[in-house]
Amino acid sequence: GENVEQHPSTLSVQEGDSAVIKCTYSDSASNYFPWYKQELGKRPQLIIDIRSNVGEKKDQRIAVTLNKTAKHFSLHITETQPEDSAVYFCAAPFGAGGTSYGKLTFGQGTILTVHP
Amino acid sequence: NAGVTQTPKFQVLKTGQSMTLQCAQDMNHNSMYWYRQDPGMGLRLIYYSASEGTTDKGEVPNGYNVSRLNKREFSLRLESAAPSQTSVYFCASSGRGGYGYTFGSGTRLTVV
């Protein structure tokens, strides 16, 4: 099955700085890589995802990059704001055929704190 | 459009009691999942249903059973609750290939 490693486990930045969270995966057949944000006491919510046919995707202040050769993908948040403070999870599909069955394996999560 | 609805939101059980967590989605998704979330452990897959009429074990299935009642509903049952099952449980659904994963609001379960 898929193994997803996420680093760092905690990240503290000043408002306006950039934040980068990195994940590595083990299954070379994986071709879909979503990122989720979970605020305290809330459900995880999809914030951005990338498919393996592109190397980078941006949505306003967030971007995801993918390196399929090295089997890693990263979340980049620019101009961080206090409301970006949350736990962020990366994920990759596992099981026979990569995304065939839709199951996601999640990283262990990164607690991001943005100080005003 | 409610998305994924889970009930109950909170529950306290005594060791050995049983209960069923309910989940329903209105997004016409084929696949549904049950995860548990423990501090420092991320989200771990308990059971999933790739499509109506099928279910399969995930990473941590012991002590749980599931039923895919129809395309909309996927329930999780604890037959004899144990303190180790104290956790937050999330139901999720997705389209083909895992795209558009959407989570329910979660059930906070405490077993004493």
Side-chain angles (χ1 to χ4, degrees), chain A residues 2 25-33 52 68 71 93 95-99:
Chain A
E2 178 73 275
Y25 62 97
S26 59
D27 187 352
S28 57
S30 293
N31 55 11
Y32 173 64
F33 306 94
S52 60
K68 285 215 74 178
K71 291 193 281 188
T99 56

Side-chain angles (χ1 to χ4, degrees), chain A residues 8-115:
Chain A
S9 57
T10 60
L11 181 58
S12 183
V13 299
Q14 290 295 126
E15 183 176 0
D17 287 350
S18 295
V20 181
I21 304 169
K22 183 175 177 178
C23 287
T24 60
Y25 62 97
S26 59
D27 187 352
S28 57
S30 293
N31 55 11
Y32 173 64
F33 306 94
W35 285 90
Y36 291 82
K37 176 183 180 181
Q38 186 177 28
E39 296 176 345
L40 190 62
K42 302 283 184 65
R43 74 190 79 188
Q45 292 195 297
L46 178 69
I47 55 171
I48 195 168
D49 57 17
I50 191 168
R51 302 188 187 191
S52 60
N53 57 345
V54 297
E56 183 176 6
K57 182 177 178 180
K58 289 183 179 179
D59 183 2
Q60 299 183 354
R61 295 186 300 105
I62 61 173
V64 57
T65 58
L66 172 64
N67 183 328
K68 285 215 74 178
T69 302
K71 291 193 281 188
H72 67 71
F73 56 111
S74 300
L75 177 71
H76 304 255
I77 306 174
T78 59
E79 300 173 26
T80 54
Q81 301 168 2
E83 50 265 40
D84 294 329
S85 296
V87 181
Y88 291 81
F89 292 96
C90 62
F94 76 94
T99 56
S100 297
Y101 301 101
K103 298 173 292 181
L104 292 179
T105 294
F106 288 82
Q108 291 77 17
T110 296
I111 302 172
L112 174 64
T113 304
V114 181
H115 299 281

